[in-house]
Amino acid sequence: QKIYAQNPKYLTLTSNPRDELDEFLIKLPMAHSLYTRYNFVADELLPKYIKRKLRDNKSVKIVSLGSGTGDDVMKAMKLFGKQVTLVCYEIDATAIEIGRQMAKDQGLEKQVEFKHASLRQCSAEQADIAIMVGIICSLPDMMAEILSKVARKCLKPGGILTVSAA
């Protein structure tokens, strides 16, 4: 952000400066791996797991812990229609506001629920898939283990826990 703010050559007139900042950061060489991992989760990993769960169920419930805007999961959800629902746990009110607008813009508002809560408050969601993207990377091992246990409590028996480090 500091680089971005101090270099007006990167500034353009946009209606959404957050999108502009995201685009700038994604284009940085060091961000290539983040972008690649994001696309892998949204385009390959989640659709694969959703298809697997839909073989045995009429619907799939996903819980995203530390979801941010939830855009990665929403991207995957669009492939499956109303069969997939999403519950997002997020503590950043701005991310929730943006996520709700994104869900509305994509026609997913009835399938996506945001909870302004710590991911440690997730329990008994009975989800088919729980996902944590970029949450445990910077945490000490002990805390990462605790959060993985919390995530498993959100799952149905036989549910899938997906953890991706940024």
Side-chain angles (χ1 to χ4, degrees), residues 65 118-124 130 132 143-155 161:
L65 302 166
S118 163
L119 55 103
R120 285 182 277 163
Q121 293 173 295
C122 176
S123 63
M132 291 191 296
M143 190 63 183
E145 186 177 331
I146 290 168
L147 292 180
S148 295
K149 288 178 181 177
V150 168
R152 280 185 249 140
K153 289 180 183 178
C154 297
L155 291 168
L161 172 59

Side-chain angles (χ1 to χ4, degrees), residues 16 31 33 47 53 59 65 70 75 77 110 132 147 152 159:
N16 188 340
S33 64
K53 288 296 178 182
S59 63
L65 302 166
K75 186 176 179 184
M77 288 174 68
K110 292 181 181 175
M132 291 191 296
L147 292 180
R152 280 185 249 140

